[in-house]
Amino acid sequence: MGVLAVLVLPLLLFGISGIIYIYRAVIQLMSKSAVKNKVVVITDAISGLGKECSRVFHTGGARLVLCGKTWEKLEALHDALISVADPSVTFTPKLVLLDISDINCIQDVAKEILDCYGCVDILINNASLKVKGVVQSVSLELDKKIMDANYFGPITLTKALLPNMISRRTGQIVLVNNIQGKIGIPFRAAYAASKHAAQGFFDCLRAEVEEFDVCISTVSPTFIRSYHIQPEPGNWEASIWKFFFRKLAYGVHPMEVAEEVLCTVSRKKQEVFMANPIPKAAVYIRIFFPALFFAIVASGTKDKQKVEEQK
């Protein structure tokens, strides 16, 4: 009896783990079947997340249109995808040069995208540009560049492809955003502003196009982990702000985000927030206890400035 009691807990944990694994496998299989033959446009496909999104949608049988601003990297991605996928169940990806921050060229690029298959079923706005620095050190020119890449670029491409979806009364647009579309973090003012703007735009668009059966989704991870992680310079781990906003395990891996984007598309989720408990708590503290939130942020800012002065 004693031995049986000892074995119950491990067996129970093993059984639960098995059920969770099977559930995830089924969901993943259903997600891939949902995008089969769909025309999927991915911007900045040559980034870490863009490559992972390309991989999961390609193996799911989607007809990919991969956009990026470097032709050589697009070709390398194209070769990598077709070398590992079964050609009998996949489509050869089409490549389109696109610098999302070049607003003047987007209309022409949108026409080129539509010419690939005659329609777009899913648009994944993945392109993004980051900047870090105190407000007074970031030039207005750089502020505008960030807004072009993170806000005006995605909404211009969205507006160019949206009429096709509305006329067909089907389609989905996914914005890969960031936690900074929800809360502002010091030394990233321009980036946070662009992400807030994008979040607001697509929230409004969601309501406007619902009657046309066009789905608008936002996927907001905290931080997307790079493949090669380097330690951050400086040592201010004791800072409250650093603890509050630290990149737990260096953020979410691009593969996890790509799988979530695929699941979001297949289940037509409206909003997904990928975060560990501390960043999630930060969002709610910002809403319900703003004074506490601002105090924590200000404390961390002072700590960082002290470290910079010592250095």
Side-chain angles (χ1 to χ4, degrees):
M1 184 69 180
V3 175
L4 182 62
V6 171
L7 291 176
V8 166
L9 183 58
L11 288 173
L12 183 61
L13 292 175
F14 181 77
I16 294 173
S17 300
I19 292 172
I20 293 174
Y21 176 81
I22 293 171
Y23 172 77
R24 287 180 174 175
V26 170
I27 291 296
Q28 186 176 9
L29 183 62
M30 292 174 61
S31 297
K32 288 186 176 180
S33 64
V35 300
K36 188 174 179 60
N37 298 323
K38 299 290 186 181
V39 179
V40 180
V41 178
I42 302 176
T43 64
D44 196 15
I46 57 179
S47 66
L49 176 56
K51 290 176 182 177
E52 292 296 342
C53 285
S54 301
R55 178 185 61 81
V56 297
F57 279 91
H58 184 62
T59 55
R63 293 181 285 178
L64 290 182
V65 181
L66 305 178
C67 304
K69 58 182 180 181
T70 307
W71 186 256
E72 291 76 13
K73 292 182 179 180
L74 281 173
E75 287 185 321
L77 176 59
H78 169 277
D79 295 342
L81 290 174
I82 64 175
S83 66
V84 296
D86 183 352
S88 65
V89 296
T90 59
F91 295 88
T92 301
K94 295 186 181 294
L95 309 179
V96 174
L97 272 177
L98 170 63
D99 181 356
I100 199 70
S101 63
D102 186 357
I103 309 301
N104 296 325
C105 77
I106 290 180
Q107 290 292 340
D108 292 335
V109 173
K111 184 178 183 304
E112 184 179 351
I113 289 172
L114 288 171
D115 287 343
C116 289
Y117 290 106
C119 67
V120 171
D121 294 306
I122 300 159
L123 167 62
I124 300 175
N125 282 304
N126 169 58
S128 185
L129 185 63
K130 298 179 181 179
V131 65
K132 181 179 179 181
V134 295
V135 169
Q136 61 268 30
S137 71
V138 178
S139 67
L140 187 58
E141 181 181 359
L142 184 53
D143 285 333
K144 291 178 179 178
K145 185 175 181 180
I146 295 294
M147 288 299 294
D148 283 344
N150 298 350
Y151 175 69
F152 286 110
I155 74 164
T156 303
L157 182 60
T158 296
K159 287 185 173 185
L161 299 179
L162 189 60
N164 178 269
M165 295 182 178
I166 290 176
S167 66
R168 296 167 59 235
R169 300 191 70 86
T170 183
Q172 186 167 2
I173 299 170
V174 180
L175 170 69
V176 179
N177 212 31
N178 187 274
I179 186 178
Q180 292 178 61
K182 301 279 189 180
I183 55 177
I185 298 176
F187 311 112
R188 292 171 175 83
Y191 181 72
S194 66
K195 291 300 182 179
H196 271 73
Q199 182 75 43
F201 177 88
F202 284 96
D203 282 351
C204 295
L205 181 63
R206 180 182 294 113
E208 292 184 22
V209 298
E210 183 180 7
E211 63 176 304
F212 304 109
D213 295 323
V214 176
C215 178
I216 305 297
S217 305
T218 57
V219 178
S220 301
T222 46
F223 300 92
I224 298 179
R225 186 191 316 171
S226 62
Y227 287 104
H228 304 287
I229 300 169
Q230 298 294 332
E232 291 187 3
N235 181 20
W236 45 296
E237 293 295 333
S239 154
I240 298 176
W241 179 76
K242 182 66 174 180
F243 170 78
F244 201 68
F245 290 111
R246 74 186 186 278
K247 305 175 186 179
L248 295 179
Y250 293 97
V252 187
H253 193 279
M255 186 184 300
E256 297 176 64
V257 183
E259 294 288 353
E260 183 56 54
V261 170
L262 178 64
C263 183
T264 297
V265 167
S266 65
R267 299 173 67 180
K268 294 190 180 298
K269 298 180 184 179
Q270 293 184 331
E271 186 172 46
V272 177
F273 186 39
M274 300 181 68
N276 291 296
I278 291 177
K280 277 187 178 179
V283 173
Y284 290 108
I285 291 172
R286 169 65 179 86
I287 296 171
F288 297 108
F289 306 100
L292 174 61
F293 177 86
F294 297 141
I296 293 173
V297 170
S299 173
T301 303
K302 292 174 183 176
D303 289 345
K304 181 173 173 62
Q305 288 173 341
K306 287 179 182 178
V307 170
E308 294 295 333
E309 289 175 2
Q310 291 172 2
K311 290 170 63 178

